[in-house]
Amino acid sequence: MRIAHNVNALGKLKEQGYDVGELRWKSPREFRSFTYNQSGFELDKKSGQTVVSLSKLGDIPIELHRPLPDDVHKSDGSCAAHQKSPISADAIVKEVTLKKEKTGEWFAIFGIEMETAPPVKPPLEQIDAEEVVGIDVGILKYAHDTDGTAVDSLDLSEERDRLEREQRKLSRKEHESNNWENQRQRVAECHLEIKRKRRDFLHKLSNYYAREYELVAVEDLDVKGMLESPRNSRNTASAAWNIFTDMLETKCEREGTHFVKVDPDGTTKACARCGVETDKPLWVREHSCPACGFETDRDANAAWNIRSRGLSKLGVGHSKETPVETALPTGTTPVPAKRVVEAGSPCLKEPPTAASRQG
């Protein structure tokens, strides 16, 4: 089934003009997952423990990382399990995929079908100006928005140092020996820790913007082209801007928030007040317009341009507001990335300052 699906996907890409090549052969050791489709599995509770019963394998105790819907049924209509959950809709477990991570951990991924009505987005012409935000992403500050909130980039230097140490140890082991396999798992754990911290940070940040605003505008960045540049490619890859925008778009769709991507060309150079473009090297962190005298933070100026372009692209027109003129530190509410990734932390709940709120 997987081969057929992949061949069909390649065929569709080829019809669109892409040079897709052929499927690559994989050895059996590279397959780390298998799927029960429609049947062969059952989710149940036995002796107070949630288990997944798999055909030919037996009962496997599992730990649910989130509550299942109130009424979960198998695809044949029989009840599978009952767990308290805020989701009040009938759900059908369509498939179960068992996946083994490179660290040796096993995960059960449930494909659940639910009947939920999509949220209704507010009409564009009725959106309040204070509910519209433009977001500029970067390296020094991961996100800077038009409300004056600046989120620090995630510091993973300690995790990277540990990863480099473990990789050096792996290089000294005999390939495919027992010691090499144990060390390979330690390296995999380091990679997984970095991945989880980054995704946790991006999930919480994107969730905040999707819930707090009715219209979100971001740049449509060509990250692939940036990675081909010899300068700062490591930090660009670590920032994962495409993953952030994909998460943000998905969450905006879930929350009923309008989402728009705009052309990033010139958002940093153009003045958000008068539109005059001024060249700025990367080390210049302050915007100072020679035409109208508007001064503000470089990223704040870009965020205002993104916001204006987003409104224009959706046909709403430019807002009557003008960006507030501030010095570099004023009107910016810095939020450390550590607060965003802490479990259960109230992500970005500081109210914006009076100087940063517009309208």
Side-chain angles (χ1 to χ4, degrees):
M1 289 176 63
R2 290 185 180 181
I3 293 175
H5 179 271
N6 292 335
V7 170
N8 291 335
L10 290 180
K12 292 180 180 178
L13 290 175
K14 192 172 183 179
E15 291 175 358
Q16 298 174 10
Y18 290 95
D19 184 12
V20 295
E22 298 177 353
L23 292 179
R24 290 180 296 178
W25 180 84
K26 285 188 176 182
S27 64
R29 65 179 296 176
E30 293 185 64
F31 286 93
R32 298 187 177 90
S33 66
F34 56 94
T35 300
Y36 284 85
N37 219 343
Q38 302 289 344
S39 62
F41 63 89
E42 184 177 5
L43 189 62
D44 204 351
K45 293 194 73 172
K46 295 184 178 179
S47 302
Q49 172 68 54
T50 304
V51 299
V52 56
S53 300
L54 302 176
S55 175
K56 308 297 184 181
L57 294 180
D59 297 338
I60 302 176
I62 62 174
E63 295 181 7
L64 298 176
H65 85 288
R66 71 173 66 179
L68 290 174
D70 291 331
D71 301 308
V72 180
H73 296 78
K74 288 182 61 180
S75 57
D76 59 4
S78 60
C79 184
H82 296 280
Q83 296 285 333
K84 291 184 178 180
S85 169
I87 305 175
S88 57
D90 288 343
I92 300 176
V93 180
K94 303 293 288 187
E95 67 177 25
V96 174
T97 298
L98 280 296
K99 178 182 178 183
K100 182 182 180 182
E101 293 286 352
K102 292 184 179 181
T103 57
E105 298 175 295
W106 280 90
F107 290 88
I109 305 166
F110 296 94
I112 300 178
E113 183 181 87
M114 295 184 295
E115 294 183 4
T116 55
V120 179
K121 295 183 180 180
L124 291 171
E125 60 274 6
Q126 297 181 10
I127 294 179
D128 191 339
E130 293 187 356
E131 301 303 323
V132 180
V133 67
I135 307 171
D136 178 66
V137 293
I139 299 295
L140 298 178
K141 297 291 183 184
Y142 190 87
H144 199 304
D145 62 38
T146 49
D147 271 350
T149 302
V151 182
D152 292 335
S153 292
L154 189 61
D155 184 12
L156 296 173
S157 56
E158 292 184 4
E159 289 79 2
R160 288 200 186 100
D161 289 343
R162 183 193 168 201
L163 173 61
E164 291 175 0
R165 290 196 301 270
E166 299 298 340
Q167 284 178 325
R168 285 196 295 269
K169 292 179 183 178
L170 179 64
S171 66
R172 293 192 288 267
K173 307 294 182 183
E174 182 181 353
H175 185 65
E176 294 191 351
S177 64
N178 290 336
N179 289 336
W180 178 89
E181 178 60 27
N182 293 334
Q183 186 61 32
R184 185 202 61 77
Q185 287 196 8
R186 295 192 187 97
V187 172
E189 289 171 359
C190 293
H191 279 291
L192 188 60
E193 181 183 12
I194 293 174
K195 177 183 177 181
R196 285 175 173 172
K197 286 189 174 183
R198 181 185 294 117
R199 292 186 69 87
D200 180 62
F201 170 73
L202 298 179
H203 271 299
K204 290 181 178 178
L205 187 61
S206 58
N207 189 65
Y208 162 75
Y209 283 114
R211 289 187 173 181
E212 292 296 318
Y213 297 93
E214 295 181 355
L215 194 157
V216 179
V218 297
E219 292 177 296
D220 188 9
L221 296 172
D222 179 19
V223 178
K224 182 179 179 182
M226 295 180 182
L227 293 176
E228 294 174 355
S229 172
R231 298 181 300 174
N232 217 17
S233 58
R234 177 177 179 176
N235 288 331
T236 302
S238 179
W241 291 322
N242 276 347
I243 296 177
F244 170 67
T245 54
D246 289 344
M247 287 182 178
L248 183 57
E249 185 175 8
T250 301
K251 289 177 172 57
C252 285
E253 193 69 28
R254 182 193 66 193
E255 299 294 334
T257 303
H258 293 278
F259 175 84
V260 59
K261 289 184 179 181
V262 302
D263 183 8
D265 188 29
T267 53
T268 302
K269 297 180 180 180
C271 177
R273 175 171 291 177
C274 67
V276 174
E277 292 193 1
T278 307
D279 288 333
K280 301 184 191 74
L282 284 175
W283 55 268
V284 176
R285 306 311 303 172
E286 184 176 358
H287 169 78
S288 180
C289 181
C292 66
F294 175 59
E295 294 183 357
T296 187
D297 182 78
R298 171 195 181 109
D299 297 332
N301 177 74
W304 275 102
N305 284 324
I306 294 168
R307 182 182 186 273
S308 299
R309 293 185 183 186
L311 291 171
S312 298
K313 186 174 182 179
L314 293 176
V316 182
H318 289 280
S319 171
K320 295 181 180 179
E321 306 169 81
T322 56
V324 63
E325 184 172 351
T326 65
L328 183 61
T330 309
T332 298
T333 306
V335 179
K338 183 179 179 182
R339 278 210 51 212
V340 182
V341 298
E342 285 176 350
S345 62
C347 173
L348 300 178
K349 289 302 180 183
E350 294 92 340
T353 62
S356 64
R357 267 292 186 188
Q358 308 302 311

